[in-house]
Each structure stands twice: as structure tokens, then as C-alpha cells.
Amino acid sequence: MSSDDDWFERAFDDEGTDPDDETDVERDDDPVHESDANDESVSTDRSDANASAETEPFVGGAGADADSDDSPFSQDFSEAFNSAPDPRTDSDGSSLSGTTPNGSPYDGAELSGFSASEFDEAELDSQLDRIKFGIEGLDEMILGGIPTRSLIVAIGSAGTGKTTIGMQFLNTALENDERAVYISLEESRQRVLDTAEEKGWDFRRYEKEGSLAVVDLDPVEMANSLASIRNDLTRLISDFDAERLVLDSVSLLEMMYDHPARRRSEVFQFTRTLKRAGVTTLVTSEASNADPFASRYGIIEYLSDAVLVLQYVRSNNFQETRLAIEIQKIRDANHSRQPKPYEITSEGISVHQQANLF
């Protein structure tokens, strides 16, 4: 990649950093090394397993020596289950009947030392750091906010506001004196800044102040150099101290790979890099032509921590078309599952959390 096309240098002026001094990133390109197996032993084990398949449905594991005392699979499941201690008895075999620490009768449903009242799920949930999305109505649908460092995907067809929701997500961080990175595979850097300005978001000022990096990449360039870009991206996020990142859109990156297995592998490695970098990320994705609730290739939603679906909803008489947003999932956070109407205005997206569709 020529210096003129160096996306990293265009995104962040790293004059004080030695370009050879890159952050170490775990490499996932090495082939998987399988442990050597003894052909004769495997053959013997296979014949023994076939002979006892009807009476012993689970004996050993792949590559394990059933006759070895050190093997963790030396017992079959039924034998191990039968020899396991009864949780309703003490170590000396006596019954644990009586009452639990909270005074309720013990019926075996609770383990000794714990009770339902002592296991406060809400208390554990509160330990997670959370952020506001920054969209009116949507934050009310997400009870408590999105856990930081989450990977979020916004899935929708053309015109549903995927780019707008990404910019609004970043603008919230910038207004709170946080730093952010915007990577566009669809529009030029100039077009991104113009679009933000139309919505009243002063991305140009934030960029001059050093709190925003806007990067425009050609999808082919990114696909051909994805391994190198992953390393540079990790360094950019670390050096820039970014807290939020938007990639618009992951579908264009997926389109660069013809083979499904290669596509899944590359997208997986890329998303894992973002998670390891410790930044809260929103990626946009085109919806599938066959299913508006799925992404174009059906990959990114399984790798994401949160999935937002933006779609058109038509009334029965086809006289009115509305936009609706639905939260499919958010890991480690409670949220509404009811689709809600929203509007794309001159100031961004506004979700009518109190309204219902039709």
C-alpha cells in the first residue's frame, strides 16, 4: 500500500510514534497444529468403542486412551454420574435437611450457604459499566444502557438511517468530551463531514480539536490488506484513546470475499480485534433481501453483542409506510423487545418509545 493510500496516517497524525514500533497483536494466521496420534492405538480404541457402542454410549473422548488411569474420560457418563456425591447430603453422608440461612425449609433446590434472596442478579448486573446510545427513545428501550466495549450492529435496508444512527452514536461521545473514530467504506471523508454538518453535528471542529478521526477506505483495499489494517487499527484506537468507533458498513467488506468460509473467518478476526481493542463499536449492515431481520450474509449478528433492526413497516391498506426499530438482543442488559416507530429528522433519529405501530 503506498504512502498516499495509507489509511492509518490519513486518520491520525502519529508524528511522535515510530512506525516500526507497533503494538503486539496476537496472530491468528498460524495454522492449527493437531496433536500427534498413535495410529495403532487409535485403531484399537476404535474397534473397542464399536464393540461396546450399544451398552456404553459415552466412553472416552477423541484421542483419549480408555485404558489410561490419567485420562479424564476413563469413566463413562453413567458411572461418573452414579458415583457423584448427593448434593442433598453432607460430606459424612448425613442429610442436609433443615433450614437455609434465610430460614426457609431446605428441599434440595438451594445449595448450602446460598439462597435465592442472597443471589441478587441486579446487583451483579450493576457492576458493568454502561453508556447511553444518545438517541431519544432508544435509550429508554435499553434499560440501564449498553455495556461498554460491546459490539453493536444496526441492520437495515437502504434509507432506514443506518449511517445516521452511527453518526449520532459518535456525536453523543464527542459532546461528552470523549474521543471517537469513524471508518467509512461507502462515502468519502468529505461527504461524511458534510452529512454530519447537515444534522447539526460539528464533526469538522471535533476533528480539528483532535477528538475525532474520520477514515475513508476503499473496500477492496481494506480486504486486500485486512491483516495489516487490523494491527494499525489496534494502534490507532490505543494511541488515539478512542472510546467509540463506527464502521459503515461491514456489508461492503463482506462482499469482497467470494468464499463463505473465508468471509466468515475474516469478519470474525476483524470483530475480535475490535473487542480486544476495548472500544465500544457500532457497525452497520445491509439487511438480507429474503429476511429484513437478518444481515446480508447472516454473519455479523452472531458475532455482535447487540443487534438493532431498522425496517419499513406498511399498514394493511398499504396507505402508510413507517419506520420501526427493534432490539433483537443486548448481552448483559435488559431491553424492550417491542418494535417502536422512529423518525429521521434534520436533527437525527428520534424513537417514539411511548407509541405503538398502527
Side-chain angles (χ1 to χ4, degrees), residues 153 185 247-255 267 283-285 300:
V153 58
L185 302 184
L247 173 66
D248 185 24
S249 80
V250 72
S251 299
L252 291 179
L253 176 61
E254 293 173 322
M255 289 171 60
V267 174
V283 300
T284 66
S285 174
I300 189 64

Side-chain angles (χ1 to χ4, degrees), residues 26-309:
E26 181 180 340
R27 298 289 184 178
D28 300 295
D29 301 328
D30 295 337
V32 178
H33 297 284
E34 298 182 356
S35 58
D36 295 334
N38 186 296
D39 294 340
E40 182 178 352
S41 175
V42 172
S43 177
T44 302
D45 293 342
R46 185 182 296 113
S47 61
D48 292 343
N50 292 337
S52 58
E54 296 182 358
T55 58
E56 298 182 6
F58 183 85
V59 179
D65 187 354
D67 297 330
S68 172
D69 295 336
D70 296 331
S71 172
F73 302 108
S74 57
Q75 290 181 312
D76 63 26
F77 179 79
S78 60
E79 180 182 352
F81 182 81
N82 292 330
S83 62
D86 191 338
R88 294 168 296 181
T89 60
D90 205 346
S91 58
D92 59 358
S94 59
S95 173
L96 287 176
S97 59
T99 61
T100 62
N102 68 346
S104 60
Y106 178 76
D107 59 359
E110 296 173 324
L111 295 178
S112 177
F114 294 92
S115 68
S117 61
E118 293 181 69
F119 187 80
D120 191 347
E121 183 177 354
E123 181 178 351
L124 293 177
D125 194 48
S126 65
Q127 302 302 317
L128 297 174
D129 293 332
R130 301 181 181 276
I131 61 173
K132 294 294 184 181
F133 212 96
I135 295 179
E136 182 182 357
L138 181 58
D139 282 324
E140 286 71 24
M141 294 176 66
I142 306 171
L143 308 179
I146 294 179
T148 57
R149 302 186 178 185
S150 294
L151 176 63
I152 311 158
V153 58
I155 301 173
S157 55
T160 53
K162 299 185 296 298
T163 297
T164 302
I165 202 172
M167 289 184 174
Q168 199 163 349
F169 174 72
L170 285 195
N171 189 65
T172 300
L174 296 169
E175 289 182 342
N176 292 327
D177 297 325
E178 299 175 1
R179 295 191 171 193
V181 177
Y182 189 97
I183 301 177
S184 175
L185 302 184
E186 295 184 345
E187 303 288 350
S188 66
R189 171 181 165 277
Q190 186 67 33
R191 180 56 183 163
V192 170
L193 297 176
D194 290 342
T195 301
E197 189 173 23
E198 291 174 0
K199 299 294 184 183
W201 305 322
D202 199 355
F203 277 21
R204 281 190 171 86
R205 176 174 64 86
Y206 292 125
E207 189 180 43
K208 290 179 180 179
E209 293 175 351
S211 57
L212 173 65
V214 179
V215 184
D216 57 339
L217 281 176
D218 181 87
V220 177
E221 173 190 350
M222 186 171 182
N224 291 336
S225 308
L226 192 56
S228 174
I229 287 177
R230 285 200 302 262
N231 297 341
D232 288 342
L233 183 60
T234 302
R235 181 159 59 98
L236 169 63
I237 293 171
S238 176
D239 293 347
F240 198 69
D241 196 22
E243 299 184 59
R244 299 194 190 191
L245 181 144
V246 166
L247 173 66
D248 185 24
S249 80
V250 72
S251 299
L252 291 179
L253 176 61
E254 293 173 322
M255 289 171 60
M256 297 301 104
Y257 303 102
D258 294 330
H259 197 282
R262 175 75 186 281
R263 182 185 300 121
R264 287 193 298 269
S265 175
E266 293 293 348
V267 174
F268 170 74
Q269 298 294 348
F270 184 73
T271 55
R272 186 164 69 168
T273 297
L274 294 174
K275 289 185 177 182
R276 287 179 174 175
V279 62
T280 306
T281 303
L282 171 68
V283 300
T284 66
S285 174
E286 295 180 9
S288 167
N289 292 330
D291 184 359
F293 295 95
S295 67
R296 180 167 185 169
Y297 293 99
I299 300 174
I300 189 64
E301 56 263 49
Y302 293 99
L303 304 176
S304 302
D305 303 302
V307 178
L308 310 178
V309 176

Side-chain angles (χ1 to χ4, degrees), residues 160-161 310-311 323-325 340-344 349-352:
T160 53
L310 313 175
Q311 61 175 318
L323 291 167
I325 186 169
K340 292 294 181 178
Y342 70 94
E343 290 182 302
I344 304 176
I349 287 179
S350 177
V351 178
H352 304 297

Side-chain angles (χ1 to χ4, degrees), residues 313-322 358:
V313 178
R314 293 179 173 84
S315 60
N316 293 333
N317 56 15
F318 295 97
Q319 292 183 354
E320 184 179 7
T321 300
R322 303 185 71 178
F358 306 111

Side-chain angles (χ1 to χ4, degrees), residues 8-9 12-19 235 239:
F8 174 71
E9 296 300 332
F12 178 65
D13 185 12
D14 194 8
E15 296 179 355
T17 303
D18 185 354
R235 181 159 59 98
D239 293 347

